[in-house]
Each structure stands twice: as C-alpha cells, then as structure tokens.
Amino acid sequence: MVNEAVKKLVCYGLENHLIGEEDVIFTTNQLLETLQIEEYDEPEECYENVELEPVLKELLDYAYEAGVLEENGVVYRDLFDTKLMAKLMPRPSQVIGEFWRIYKEQGAKAATDYYYKLSQDSDYIRRYRIAKDVKWKSKTPYGEMDITINLSKPEKDPKAIAAAKNAKQSGYPKCLLCMENEGYAGRINHPARQNHRIIPVTIQDSKWGFQYSPYVYYNEHCIVFNSRHIPMKIEHGTFCKLFDFVKQFPHYIVGSNADLPIVGGSILSHDHFQGGSYEFAMAKAPVEREFTVAGFEDVKAGIVKWPMSVIRISGPDSDRLIALADKILTTWRVYTDEDAFIFAETDGEPHNTITPIARKRGELFELDLVLRNNITTEEHPLGVYHPHAELHHIKKENIGLIEVMGLAVLPARLKTEMETLAAAIVDKKDVRADESIEKHADWVAEFLPKYPEVTRDNIMDILHSEIALVFSKVLEHAGVYKRDEEGQKAFDKFVESLN
C-alpha cells in the first residue's frame, strides 16, 4: 500500500504543477529516501484528482509503523509530512521568477492568484484543516460581522507539550515571521516550513517579504513583513509603506497592528502588516460625521459608524493622506482628556497609538485610523479598552487588527461549549449545573427571554446571532470613545484639537 501512496503523492505534484514530468523519478527517489524505503514496486496506474490528506495520512501511518517517525502525535506528524511535501516543491528562485513574470505580463491579481494556489497546493496552507473552522456572518448594530471559531491550529498532545518545555531554546529563526523560516525543518517548538516560499517585495526602498498566513482567517490572508527582525512601530514610515504596498497590489487591503502591548498583535517584536482580498465590515461602515482639518481641505475626513473609534480619510493623493495621518497620529500620541479617561501616559509609560488600515477604492486612496489606548486599572487589569470580564466567556484575548476590522477570531473551546449549551437550553437544563458551560449562564439568562420559541432547529442560529452581538460589545469595550452622547462629544473634542 505504501508504494501506491508514494505514487499518488507524485501524481498529486504533477497534477498541481509542483513538479514536471522530468522530475518524476527524482521526486520519487527523494520520497523513498525520506521514508527509508529500499524496495519500491511502482504502480502502473497514473492517479488523478488525488486527495492530499488521506495520502499523507497513509504515508505518516507507514512511517510510524516502520519506526521512521518516532512519535505519532500531531506535532511530530506535521513536522514529517512537511518534510515529505518539501520533496515536491520548486526552489525559491523558480517561484519568485514565476510570480514576477506573471505580475509583469498579466498583472498583480494574476500573480497573487498563482502564489495563493501554490501556498495551498504545497500544504503550507492546510485546506483540510481550514475547512474545519466554524464560520458565519451575523447582523449587528454596525452591519454584518464575520465570526470564526478557529479550529485549524491543532491541539498539542501532552507528550509534545512536555517535549517542547524541555527542548533546548533556539534563537534561529528569531520568530515565526523571519525570512529564515523559508525551508526550515522545524522542531518540536517551531513549525516546519520546508514547503514554504516567500516572495521578496520592495517597500519604500527596503526589502520585505510577502507570504500568506497558514491559517487564512479570510480570503487571501497575507502577511507583509520586514526582512529585518525589528519591532513594530507606528510612525510616518508606516503610512508610507502601507500605501506603497497598496499601489503595487491595488486589489488588496493592508493594515498594521498597533505597536503597544494589549492593543497590539501577538508578534510585536517583528515589523509586519496583514492584508488580503476581503471587504471587512468596517470597510463597509459609513462615515457618520464629516469634518475638515485646516490645511487639509482637499482631504475628505470623517468619523466612522463603528464600535471602535475610527477616523477615515480619503483622497486621490496618497501623500496628502500620509501627511494628515501624521498629524492625527502625533496629536493622538500626546492627547489627554481626563474626563474621558484618556491618558497619553502614566508614570512615563505611553498609552496612545493607532491601528491603521489602507485600501484603494476606485481612483481614491483610503486610510482608516483606529484610535487605541492600552491603559490598565485595578478594576480592568487586562486593559480599560479591552473586553471586560463579563465578556470573557466568549472573548478574552487581545483585539488585534483582524478583530478591529470586524472579524472575530474566537477560541476553539467555543465549538464544544456551544454544542453543550444548545442541548442544555433546548432540554431546559440548569446551565449553572454544568461546569463546562457555567460561565455562559448570565449571558443565557439575559438573551433567552427575547426568543419565545427555542427549538433544536433554531437554537444554533440564536447562539450564533447572540455571539455576534457579544463581539460587537467586545469592540465597543475596545473603543476609546463610547458610542453614547458623552463619548461621541469627547471624540469630537479630539477632532477639534486637530485644528
């Protein structure tokens, strides 16, 4: 059976143009070496429409039974199947050459289409795992938001966790975003990237890398990262770089996480952006109050109807948008309004920053500037402008760029919890009596009276709708200016300070 699986993997490579006919014998021998197979009887059949996951499973099972794979947990299997897929991959220079050839001849979208497909065919993006994510859209007071329960990151087994804890710490690669990940074999505490290829791009005369996220939270979820391992920083250069990328890839949006803890992303140590081909709820949200900044009468500006505090500026000249964004950023960095509980710094620690998102809309450039503040108090030790404790049953993690734009990335635990909760509600059981869902009891007690008829057929729709409403509250908590009259007056006061 293993001979058949090897042949199927080679056929998969051919069918998806990872290898050519001239590479078949070479690739076969590379796979046999990796699997430590000395006798090979090649099947005559040429397999078509090969499904990758079952073939890899067969090869991994064989490797474990044959003693080639020392442990059978998901971490070890992922390291080994990446090693197998690497045997089908073209060299980086070939991928880069093909990308820029297509870019030159057919345009940016055709080039990213080629690269996105390659990133999936190579199993760098594991399609079969992404398909397990639970996704839906739900209406909120701020438009239709995207909700995802992330199941594509596999849970580590106890053996792997223990091994990672005891593993020697390595400084190579420095982080998951470093260029040195390309082709890296991985280790128990760092994913393998032998099947990964990076496209070098020039951003503001400096070398950057362009790749896709292996977890693709939305369509063509890409990461653009500095070739140097330097920290995140929101500054004039950030706005220049965002628009430089948008000019090269006008079909993509691109944004940056903020540069301070709590309100920043998970990797503050490496300068990077995230983008892709997707229209988020925030991009669809209208401007509810326009304003003009003196000296920038040619730039359209306004406050967006969104749970967080967003200023949108737009115009045909990106340089003018950058200049106004600079002014807004420098004003916000030092802005304090004690009545609104906005403090630029406490004890020398800065709190104010911005999450910027750039896009091209027709002939106009557009920049959303989301005002952020990471101050903490005894009452809110995780952050005043962070989801408060009463929402932690759904979302406790930091609100980064993706959530800011209106896509909730929720923890995997919620899938099981919602299934258990749905059954308990329909069967009229006491939610507080079950430890696994007790945390949701107050929430259920609050929303259930809204629904006169709850059945097995509609309970999951109800839960999905209510989770989206909780997420909109999560974003309201993260907003520095609240959506009530007092909060919006304070927001207007900041806008007035720009003149």
Side-chain angles (χ1 to χ4, degrees):
M1 291 298 286
V2 73
N3 291 345
E4 192 177 292
V6 169
K7 181 68 181 283
K8 281 182 178 177
L9 190 55
V10 172
C11 291
Y12 173 87
L14 271 172
E15 197 171 29
N16 290 285
H17 308 291
L18 297 173
I19 61 172
E21 289 287 351
E22 303 87 344
D23 303 316
V24 167
I25 293 172
F26 176 83
T27 303
T28 301
N29 285 331
Q30 292 279 295
L31 291 169
L32 296 178
E33 179 189 2
T34 306
L35 291 158
Q36 296 178 28
I37 296 172
E38 293 183 3
E39 294 292 333
Y40 178 61
D41 185 12
E42 182 180 0
E44 289 183 15
E45 187 178 350
C46 185
Y47 301 98
E48 294 180 351
N49 301 317
V50 175
E51 276 190 61
L52 186 58
E53 186 182 16
V55 173
L56 288 176
K57 182 184 182 304
E58 203 170 320
L59 291 172
L60 288 166
D61 290 346
Y62 166 82
Y64 180 63
E65 288 162 14
V68 178
L69 181 60
E70 59 186 75
E71 296 284 351
N72 205 27
V74 66
V75 172
Y76 295 92
R77 288 172 74 92
D78 281 2
L79 289 170
F80 195 79
D81 70 9
T82 305
K83 193 175 185 179
L84 291 173
M85 289 305 298
K87 308 306 176 188
L88 275 63
M89 289 300 292
R91 293 273 180 173
S93 57
Q94 292 172 271
V95 174
I96 293 163
E98 183 67 0
F99 179 90
W100 289 112
R101 181 193 69 76
I102 295 170
Y103 184 98
K104 187 177 179 181
E105 294 177 6
Q106 300 174 46
K109 187 179 183 305
T112 55
D113 286 349
Y114 153 75
Y115 181 46
Y116 191 52
K117 184 177 185 301
L118 175 77
S119 298
Q120 295 173 86
D121 292 341
S122 67
D123 208 36
Y124 163 72
I125 295 172
R126 296 174 184 259
R127 288 185 179 106
Y128 44 88
R129 283 197 186 151
I130 305 299
K132 293 175 184 176
D133 286 347
V134 179
K135 297 182 178 184
W136 72 90
K137 291 174 181 285
S138 275
K139 289 179 182 176
T140 75
Y142 307 99
E144 197 173 56
M145 293 209 193
D146 293 285
I147 314 293
T148 299
I149 297 178
N150 176 33
L151 302 172
S152 54
K153 285 186 184 179
E155 297 289 330
K156 291 182 179 179
D157 60 86
K159 269 190 179 180
I161 292 168
K165 187 179 178 183
N166 297 324
K168 183 183 175 184
Q169 293 302 306
S170 170
Y172 182 89
K174 287 189 178 75
C175 79
L176 290 167
L177 292 180
C178 284
M179 287 281 197
E180 289 77 14
N181 281 282
E182 187 177 44
Y184 184 61
R187 53 184 191 270
I188 195 68
N189 54 4
H190 193 106
R193 291 289 183 253
Q194 291 121 308
N195 58 347
H196 179 38
R197 298 294 179 262
I198 296 169
I199 304 297
V201 291
T202 302
I203 307 284
Q204 288 289 292
D205 300 320
S206 60
K207 186 181 176 185
W208 283 56
F210 168 62
Q211 66 184 40
Y212 290 104
S213 163
Y215 306 112
V216 286
Y217 292 132
Y218 52 88
N219 188 46
E220 296 175 54
H221 177 185
C222 70
I223 302 171
V224 190
F225 57 100
N226 202 313
S227 64
R228 295 185 298 144
H229 183 78
I230 57 174
M232 300 279 293
K233 189 165 177 59
I234 302 296
E235 57 186 358
H236 168 82
T238 307
F239 306 133
C240 297
K241 288 166 189 163
L242 291 174
F243 279 121
D244 196 349
F245 180 81
V246 166
K247 287 172 186 175
Q248 293 180 62
F249 299 93
H251 61 300
Y252 276 3
I253 60 107
V254 67
S256 174
N257 266 305
D259 54 358
L260 294 177
I262 298 175
V263 295
S266 56
I267 304 179
L268 288 173
S269 60
H270 196 126
D271 193 18
H272 71 284
F273 308 139
Q274 293 181 79
S277 178
Y278 194 71
E279 188 174 32
F280 288 87
M282 191 175 82
K284 297 175 188 175
V287 167
E288 59 183 357
R289 296 196 301 285
E290 291 190 1
F291 62 87
T292 303
V293 178
F296 293 92
E297 289 79 8
D298 56 324
V299 178
K300 199 172 179 181
I303 291 170
V304 179
K305 186 186 177 184
W306 192 244
M308 296 185 72
S309 309
V310 186
I311 292 173
R312 178 171 296 157
I313 58 176
S314 64
D317 185 348
S318 61
D319 288 342
R320 294 292 290 154
L321 268 63
I322 290 165
L324 179 51
D326 267 348
K327 184 178 179 66
I328 294 168
L329 175 64
T330 52
T331 305
W332 178 246
R333 286 282 193 197
V334 297
Y335 186 80
T336 291
D337 180 351
E338 293 186 15
D339 293 336
F341 207 78
I342 306 289
F343 294 90
E345 57 88 23
T346 53
D347 300 324
E349 182 189 346
H351 296 304
N352 288 352
T353 185
I354 277 176
T355 299
I357 302 103
R359 63 182 76 88
K360 189 98 186 282
R361 205 186 283 275
E363 295 303 308
L364 300 180
F365 292 101
E366 195 169 88
L367 186 64
D368 284 350
L369 301 167
V370 188
L371 306 181
R372 312 296 303 275
N373 181 290
N374 76 343
I375 196 168
T376 60
T377 62
E378 282 187 19
E379 185 186 359
H380 301 295
L382 297 179
V384 172
Y385 305 107
H386 176 91
H388 293 173
E390 66 267 25
L391 304 181
H392 288 180
H393 66 105
I394 298 293
K395 177 76 175 175
K396 183 180 182 179
E397 298 76 18
N398 289 354
I399 302 306
L401 172 67
I402 295 171
E403 283 93 356
V404 164
M405 294 189 290
L407 191 158
V409 181
L410 302 179
R413 63 172 171 81
L414 279 177
K415 182 178 187 291
T416 308
E417 287 176 15
M418 288 307 112
E419 288 167 354
T420 307
L421 188 61
I425 292 170
V426 170
D427 295 337
K428 295 182 168 52
K429 289 182 179 175
D430 182 4
V431 173
R432 294 184 198 280
D434 186 332
E435 264 185 33
S436 70
I437 54 172
E438 179 189 10
K439 63 174 85 71
H440 301 298
D442 289 344
W443 173 53
V444 172
E446 186 184 329
F447 75 69
L448 209 52
K450 291 195 299 188
Y451 301 95
E453 190 178 354
V454 178
T455 66
R456 291 192 192 281
D457 292 333
N458 71 2
I459 183 58
M460 206 50 83
D461 288 339
I462 289 170
L463 288 175
H464 283 178
S465 177
E466 292 297 328
I467 286 172
L469 293 174
V470 170
F471 179 58
S472 69
K473 286 180 186 174
V474 161
L475 295 186
E476 286 176 349
H477 285 192
V480 292
Y481 293 113
K482 302 310 167 194
R483 292 293 303 168
D484 56 20
E485 187 180 350
E486 188 181 355
Q488 292 305 292
K489 277 183 180 177
F491 198 168
D492 290 339
K493 183 180 172 184
F494 168 71
V495 167
E496 287 163 14
S497 74
L498 296 170
N499 284 305

